[in-house]
Amino acid sequence: MKRAHRITTFGLTEEQNEIVRANIPMKDYEVFDTDAPTDVIAYACVAMIIQASAMDEKSINMIFDLYMDVDG
């Protein structure tokens, strides 16, 4: 079944992802756990949960640069 809404996580443990899954607001949500920093911005989502210490500086700058370009 295709989910209508996605929550993307990066750098969370499986236990932490299970906590997110157990607390999603509706059945049409999915948790998309990724270990690729580019996936954080490549896939549409309604929320992102990022463990910043799990990401290298280049990846953090990539995300900030994108949102600065989008939002200014």
Side-chain angles (χ1 to χ4, degrees):
M1 169 173 71
K2 183 175 178 349
R3 305 296 179 151
H5 306 291
R6 178 180 293 125
I7 299 170
T8 300
T9 66
F10 178 91
L12 273 60
T13 65
E14 188 54 40
E15 181 180 353
Q16 291 167 325
N17 277 307
E18 284 304 318
I19 292 168
V20 174
R21 284 184 191 94
N23 289 284
I24 55 178
M26 305 165 110
K27 291 183 180 188
D28 62 343
Y29 276 68
E30 71 173 340
V31 175
F32 176 62
D33 176 28
T34 183
D35 59 356
T38 53
D39 286 353
V40 172
I41 60 173
Y43 293 94
C45 63
V46 296
M48 273 185 247
I49 303 171
I50 298 172
Q51 177 64 28
S53 63
M55 194 173 283
D56 63 27
E57 186 174 346
K58 180 180 175 184
S59 299
I60 291 169
N61 289 334
M62 172 191 62
I63 292 170
F64 277 110
D65 288 346
L66 170 78
Y67 284 105
M68 289 302 293
D69 286 344
V70 171
D71 190 41

